[in-house]
Amino acid sequence: MDFGADVSRLLEIVTHALYSNRDVFLRELISNGADACDRLRYDSISNADLSKGHKGFEIRVDVNAPDRLVMVQDTGIGMTRDEMVDHLGTIAKSGTRNLMEQLKQSNATGAPNLIGQFGVGFYSAFMVADNVKVISRKAGSEEIWAWESDGISGFSINPATAEDSEKLTTTSGTLITLHIKDDASEYLLEEKLKRIIVIYSNHVSLPIYVGTNEEEPINSASAIWMRPKSEISPEQYQEFFTMVSGSMGLDQPSVTAHWHAEGKIEYTALLYVPTLRPFDLYDPSRRHAVRLYVRRIYITDECEGLMYPWMRFVRGVIDSEDLPLNISREMLQQNAVVTKIRSSVTKKLLGDLDKLSRDDKTAFNAFWHQFGAVVKEGLYDAVEHREDIFKIARFFTTNGQDNLTSLDGYIERMKDGQDFIYYISGENVDTMRNSPQIEGLKKRGLEVLLLKDTIDDFWLPVVMDFKGKKFVSVTKGAIDLSKFPLPDADQPTENDNQDGTNNNNKDRASLIAYLADRLSDRISKVRISDRLTDSPVCLVASDSDTDLHMARVLKIHQKYEAPAKPVLEINPSHILISRLDSLAGTDKESEILADAAELLYDQALIIQGEPVSDPSAFARRMSVFLGKGLAA
Ligand code: ADP
Ligand code: MG
């Protein structure tokens, strides 16, 4: 018989372009065999005769290397003559017809992508074979039929010969014999076939044997995630974690999430959050490692849209009931089912982590230290999950030592009239804790978040606020703290002559004018600050510019140099500032004043974590001042 025009066209595409990876032919044939077994199992429920004398469900793969043959045999429901003609010779399924319609319209390059969505698994045999013979016996029938094709012109269908009939040793089932192409000899190696089965079909829920008399199945024959939770021991969960995480028994999961979702989408997931950081966590490709199965058949561990990149530390499997088995990678990326699964899985995992934060603080904090920086990528990557990410996000804070706080915790402790969430970002928590920019806030009892992850500088400009409270960088722009008075002891008084001079003029106009002129090539402005209580000076970004630390991060990571100049803020009450102000008022040409201006600026840079521009000049000036101090 001739193949329909559709099938011929399809075969041409399949043989040349459908899968870049030819290994999958075996997965497809095994999956068909497993389906056939499932169907017989189901039909036997209402008609026990169908499996009378049946020897048990299994799939057996055999090789006859001298004759270049690979055999795949199942003990499933089998096919009648007409079924073989219908299912293996025409494209009967409406979905596939649909595909052919689309193929007619699309150009040749788009075709392989389209085709991957539809069930055309059987034809993938022709990727590796130049002749395929199917011998089948339908359950409940005495007849055995043989279908044979070279995958080009058409197929023949005949009653099986006595010799062929003998090969089919079960009460029902199908034997597929592939004559392997010259360029596909690797599939004549049992080892190669075994490896493919372990990769793709390990969790097919019936035994797969390689070799005629082999009694040990090559696969584990059961999908652990499909079993009820109550039947799975902690050891079995751990064993599976070890396998999917590749952690060789060195790690344990901090979260094990095993659930079945029903409703709009149906899937089962068994996912783990490891305790240790996987070695490739910061790999630039940001690839996740969750494996996708469709009805127990392994599809890929490279389904990009299945997990967010900021969930790339998660290990395990997701098994979908709704996806077509033959879906191509390209199609998976924009598949609506995949996107829904991702959203559902993300919600569930964030919920579990939130629960962990309440049930086991130590374990949760360990998790956050390992993976928090990655999770925070989600704050700008996935707006729909932002709220849930904020629930588990923790930050270092000036409130207490080493303590991590949630944003809700911060908001609870906010002072009356406080409208902002204050933060400083930098590389080192201790340096930030002591940085001059937050002195004034600390003294006033205002809490400051200490953000130490590079990623913080990326989500903050996007996120802007939390529960209506704006995030405000304390190293950027002027901050008005006049609402929050300093405690009395720290309140500078009008006649606070800590400098021992009579310079009570707190606007420091002379010094401001002097510094602005002297440092004009490096700073945009000099101004009096609320921010400082102990230190003489600090640098901040101007209102409209990129935050200072952000600018530094951009410089390192993207080789981008912000053209903006920072603002130099001075502490009017500091003894050094008031003395220099006096000096600036009387002797502008003073060498000490010039050196001091440079030293103040360099000091501000160092505190900021920036290098000074001329270290030897800095050292020279410093020595001069030290010498003067010692001489005095
Ligand atoms: P799909 O599996 O998506 O239906 P395939 O191209 O893999 O598409 O198979 C086409 C059809 O051929 C199957 O739906 C099934 O009816 C039939 N078939 C293929 N292999 C077998 C088998 N081993 N036993 C019984 N029926 C089979
Ligand atoms: Mg199939």
Side-chain angles (χ1 to χ4, degrees), residues 80-198:
T80 63
R81 176 193 179 280
D82 290 350
E83 282 170 341
M84 284 214 234
V85 172
D86 282 353
H87 296 151
L88 308 182
T90 58
I91 299 181
K93 277 171 291 182
S94 58
T96 318
R97 278 241 183 73
N98 223 329
L99 159 70
M100 297 315 294
E101 291 299 309
Q102 292 192 40
L103 275 181
K104 271 177 205 146
Q105 288 156 27
S106 87
N107 56 17
T109 49
N113 291 349
L114 279 173
I115 217 167
Q117 292 179 77
F118 299 89
V120 290
F122 172 75
Y123 301 107
S124 69
F126 291 103
M127 293 190 297
V128 298
D130 48 25
N131 181 284
V132 176
K133 190 165 175 181
V134 182
I135 303 164
S136 195
R137 177 174 172 186
K138 178 86 179 187
S141 162
E142 295 295 313
E143 293 175 15
I144 301 179
W145 286 85
W147 178 104
E148 189 167 357
S149 171
D150 58 3
I152 299 167
S153 49
F155 61 92
S156 65
I157 181 120
N158 292 297
T161 59
E163 192 192 341
D164 279 346
S165 300
E166 246 166 64
K167 291 182 198 148
L168 204 65
T169 55
T170 67
T171 54
S172 72
T174 302
L175 166 64
I176 298 174
T177 305
L178 312 178
H179 185 265
I180 297 297
K181 286 180 183 173
D182 288 342
D183 68 356
S185 302
E186 71 219 76
Y187 298 109
L188 294 169
L189 301 170
E190 271 192 13
E191 279 316 307
K192 169 83 182 174
L193 299 176
K194 282 182 186 169
R195 234 177 303 142
I196 299 174
I197 293 168
V198 170

Side-chain angles (χ1 to χ4, degrees), residues 81-362:
R81 176 193 179 280
D82 290 350
E83 282 170 341
M84 284 214 234
V85 172
D86 282 353
H87 296 151
L88 308 182
T90 58
I91 299 181
K93 277 171 291 182
S94 58
T96 318
R97 278 241 183 73
N98 223 329
L99 159 70
M100 297 315 294
E101 291 299 309
Q102 292 192 40
L103 275 181
K104 271 177 205 146
Q105 288 156 27
S106 87
N107 56 17
T109 49
N113 291 349
L114 279 173
I115 217 167
Q117 292 179 77
F118 299 89
V120 290
F122 172 75
Y123 301 107
S124 69
F126 291 103
M127 293 190 297
V128 298
D130 48 25
N131 181 284
V132 176
K133 190 165 175 181
V134 182
I135 303 164
S136 195
R137 177 174 172 186
K138 178 86 179 187
S141 162
E142 295 295 313
E143 293 175 15
I144 301 179
W145 286 85
W147 178 104
E148 189 167 357
S149 171
D150 58 3
I152 299 167
S153 49
F155 61 92
S156 65
I157 181 120
N158 292 297
T161 59
E163 192 192 341
D164 279 346
S165 300
E166 246 166 64
K167 291 182 198 148
L168 204 65
T169 55
T170 67
T171 54
S172 72
T174 302
L175 166 64
I176 298 174
T177 305
L178 312 178
H179 185 265
I180 297 297
K181 286 180 183 173
D182 288 342
D183 68 356
S185 302
E186 71 219 76
Y187 298 109
L188 294 169
L189 301 170
E190 271 192 13
E191 279 316 307
K192 169 83 182 174
L193 299 176
K194 282 182 186 169
R195 234 177 303 142
I196 299 174
I197 293 168
V198 170
I199 294 173
Y200 289 103
S201 311
N202 195 30
H203 294 281
V204 168
S205 47
L206 72 173
I208 304 169
Y209 302 96
V210 177
T212 320
N213 297 314
E214 184 56 52
E215 283 175 14
E216 272 301 306
I218 209 73
N219 63 332
S220 70
S222 97
I224 178 175
W225 60 89
M226 295 311 291
R227 285 163 33 205
K229 277 163 110 162
S230 55
E231 284 176 19
I232 305 171
S233 67
E235 291 73 28
Q236 286 169 322
Y237 273 129
Q238 172 68 38
E239 191 184 298
F240 191 65
F241 169 74
T242 301
M243 189 191 101
V244 292
S245 64
S247 60
M248 301 185 294
L250 299 172
D251 194 17
Q252 286 173 337
S254 63
V255 173
T256 301
H258 183 193
W259 77 102
H260 180 73
E262 263 168 355
K264 276 197 202 118
I265 35 157
E266 192 174 349
Y267 67 86
T268 304
L270 173 50
L271 298 172
Y272 302 90
V273 175
T275 302
L276 300 175
R277 209 178 269 181
F279 71 93
D280 58 353
L281 190 66
Y282 288 106
D283 191 276
S285 65
R286 299 165 78 228
R287 270 177 40 189
H288 75 81
V290 170
R291 299 178 184 189
L292 176 66
Y293 283 72
V294 172
R295 292 180 291 281
R296 262 67 68 216
I297 304 281
Y298 173 78
I299 305 293
T300 177
D301 57 5
E302 288 180 20
C303 174
E304 225 184 86
L306 185 64
M307 294 292 286
Y308 282 107
W310 49 274
M311 283 269 176
R312 59 187 178 272
F313 50 87
V314 174
R315 297 290 182 268
V317 308
I318 294 173
D319 191 338
S320 161
E321 300 293 326
D322 303 325
L323 285 167
L325 190 58
N326 290 23
I327 193 155
S328 75
R329 278 181 195 162
E330 292 83 353
M331 290 313 300
L332 275 171
Q333 265 185 47
Q334 323 121 16
N335 186 284
V337 174
V338 172
T339 311
K340 279 186 198 145
I341 292 177
R342 177 178 70 181
S343 164
S344 162
V345 163
T346 305
K347 240 187 146 31
K348 163 80 170 136
L349 286 177
L350 289 173
D352 281 6
L353 286 165
D354 185 36
K355 191 170 176 305
L356 183 70
S357 77
R358 278 174 274 121
D359 295 351
D360 186 346
K361 252 199 182 91
T362 315

Side-chain angles (χ1 to χ4, degrees), residues 331-405:
M331 290 313 300
L332 275 171
Q333 265 185 47
Q334 323 121 16
N335 186 284
V337 174
V338 172
T339 311
K340 279 186 198 145
I341 292 177
R342 177 178 70 181
S343 164
S344 162
V345 163
T346 305
K347 240 187 146 31
K348 163 80 170 136
L349 286 177
L350 289 173
D352 281 6
L353 286 165
D354 185 36
K355 191 170 176 305
L356 183 70
S357 77
R358 278 174 274 121
D359 295 351
D360 186 346
K361 252 199 182 91
T362 315
F364 178 81
N365 285 351
F367 155 78
W368 189 255
H369 284 304
Q370 292 289 6
F371 303 115
V374 171
V375 172
K376 282 187 284 184
E377 292 172 16
L379 289 171
Y380 62 77
D381 237 22
V383 184
E384 73 267 36
H385 299 291
R386 192 177 285 166
E387 218 172 287
D388 288 332
I389 298 174
F390 270 140
K391 268 193 205 143
I392 64 163
R394 297 291 182 272
F395 304 94
F396 285 104
T397 169
T398 51
N399 176 57
Q401 279 296 311
D402 288 340
N403 271 341
L404 290 173
T405 183

Side-chain angles (χ1 to χ4, degrees), residues 313-589:
F313 50 87
V314 174
R315 297 290 182 268
V317 308
I318 294 173
D319 191 338
S320 161
E321 300 293 326
D322 303 325
L323 285 167
L325 190 58
N326 290 23
I327 193 155
S328 75
R329 278 181 195 162
E330 292 83 353
M331 290 313 300
L332 275 171
Q333 265 185 47
Q334 323 121 16
N335 186 284
V337 174
V338 172
T339 311
K340 279 186 198 145
I341 292 177
R342 177 178 70 181
S343 164
S344 162
V345 163
T346 305
K347 240 187 146 31
K348 163 80 170 136
L349 286 177
L350 289 173
D352 281 6
L353 286 165
D354 185 36
K355 191 170 176 305
L356 183 70
S357 77
R358 278 174 274 121
D359 295 351
D360 186 346
K361 252 199 182 91
T362 315
F364 178 81
N365 285 351
F367 155 78
W368 189 255
H369 284 304
Q370 292 289 6
F371 303 115
V374 171
V375 172
K376 282 187 284 184
E377 292 172 16
L379 289 171
Y380 62 77
D381 237 22
V383 184
E384 73 267 36
H385 299 291
R386 192 177 285 166
E387 218 172 287
D388 288 332
I389 298 174
F390 270 140
K391 268 193 205 143
I392 64 163
R394 297 291 182 272
F395 304 94
F396 285 104
T397 169
T398 51
N399 176 57
Q401 279 296 311
D402 288 340
N403 271 341
L404 290 173
T405 183
S406 64
L407 290 180
D408 281 323
Y410 182 99
I411 286 195
E412 263 168 43
R413 290 185 297 271
M414 273 168 87
K415 285 189 112 55
D416 282 346
Q418 185 182 342
D419 298 323
F420 305 126
I421 299 172
Y422 294 109
Y423 72 88
I424 178 169
S425 63
E427 273 102 279
N428 182 298
V429 173
D430 291 324
T431 312
M432 284 188 276
R433 217 186 272 287
N434 296 320
S435 81
Q437 287 102 336
I438 69 169
E439 286 170 359
L441 289 106
K442 281 199 296 191
K443 280 264 159 66
R444 288 171 170 85
L446 294 163
E447 186 173 343
V448 180
L449 299 179
L450 311 169
L451 308 183
K452 67 159 180 45
D453 295 320
T454 306
I455 196 68
D456 295 320
D457 290 300
F458 291 90
W459 65 262
L460 277 159
V462 180
V463 174
M464 319 285 266
D465 65 59
F466 173 73
K467 296 197 173 160
K469 309 285 182 196
K470 218 172 145 241
F471 291 101
V472 167
S473 164
V474 300
T475 58
K476 181 182 162 176
I479 18 178
D480 178 9
L481 301 175
S482 55
K483 260 200 252 178
F484 312 99
L486 280 172
D488 287 346
D490 294 303
Q491 200 66 257
T493 56
E494 255 333 288
N495 295 314
D496 196 359
N497 289 346
Q498 41 165 242
D499 55 353
T501 70
N502 293 319
N503 189 358
N504 289 335
N505 182 12
K506 284 285 173 74
D507 65 13
R508 308 296 181 226
S510 313
L511 183 61
I512 289 180
Y514 178 83
L515 289 174
D517 179 48
R518 166 105 208 164
L519 304 171
S520 64
D521 54 331
R522 284 156 285 173
I523 57 175
S524 61
K525 193 177 172 178
V526 183
R527 72 173 167 231
I528 296 282
S529 174
D530 259 359
R531 238 177 288 248
L532 298 164
T533 56
D534 299 332
S535 305
V537 292
C538 71
L539 290 170
V540 298
S542 65
D543 271 319
S544 55
D545 289 335
T546 317
D547 196 10
L548 287 189
H549 182 246
M550 174 69 165
R552 193 170 140 72
V553 166
L554 284 175
K555 198 166 135 189
I556 296 169
H557 288 267
Q558 319 199 327
K559 314 262 175 274
Y560 164 82
E561 193 129 11
K565 294 185 219 162
V567 173
L568 181 71
E569 291 198 345
I570 62 172
N571 177 355
S573 308
H574 198 280
I575 182 170
L576 199 57
I577 297 299
S578 72
R579 283 200 179 155
L580 289 171
D581 186 45
S582 301
L583 197 52
T586 53
D587 182 8
K588 276 204 175 48
E589 302 307 312

